[in-house]
Every structure is written in C-alpha cells, then in structure tokens.
Amino acid sequence: AQLSKKEFFPTFLLCFFFGGVGIHRFYVGKIGTGIVMLLTLGGLGIWTLIDIIMIAVQKFKDSDGLPIKA
C-alpha cells in the first residue's frame, strides 16, 4: 500500500496545537477544508476532535487520499 509523504507526528502535533484553525489540513494539502476549518474555528472544536482521533488511529489521509505515514 502506498503511503503519503506527510508523516504522522507532525500532522498529529499540528492538529493538537493548531487544529482549531486547520493548520494540519494545510500541511497535508487539504487547502479547501483547511480554509473551512479556519473560518469555523475547527467546527467549533468538534471537527478538530474528530481529526485528532482519525490521526491517532491512523485513518487520516492526505489530499491524494493516501494514508499518513506512521
């Protein structure tokens, strides 16, 4: 299975510390949803929490649909 060039640890840290403004989504190339997260403050925190969980269980994907490297 092909993996993303983006790595788990930076993605997780960016989401944990700056998830409310979608920085982790910009990092993995998901610019559109990053802008939406920025404007909604991470879906009032709910979207951020879901992303943290998805990253932690290694189900988060980059803009090409490839899983983030563990």
Side-chain angles (χ1 to χ4, degrees):
Q2 195 174 6
L3 294 174
S4 172
K5 290 183 172 84
K6 302 301 179 183
E7 296 192 17
F8 170 83
F9 201 61
T11 306
F12 183 81
L13 288 178
L14 286 170
C15 187
F16 187 81
F17 290 109
F18 306 108
V21 290
I23 299 299
H24 62 290
R25 291 211 165 233
F26 289 102
Y27 172 71
V28 298
K30 295 180 174 183
I31 307 301
T33 54
I35 291 169
V36 174
M37 281 191 86
L38 181 64
L39 296 174
T40 63
L41 296 177
L44 298 177
I46 297 167
W47 194 358
T48 303
L49 182 61
I50 292 169
D51 276 359
I52 286 174
I53 293 167
M54 293 295 288
I55 294 166
V57 298
Q58 299 180 1
K59 298 291 182 192
F60 195 76
K61 296 181 172 143
D62 70 6
S63 60
D64 296 322
L66 299 172
I68 302 299
K69 277 195 269 190

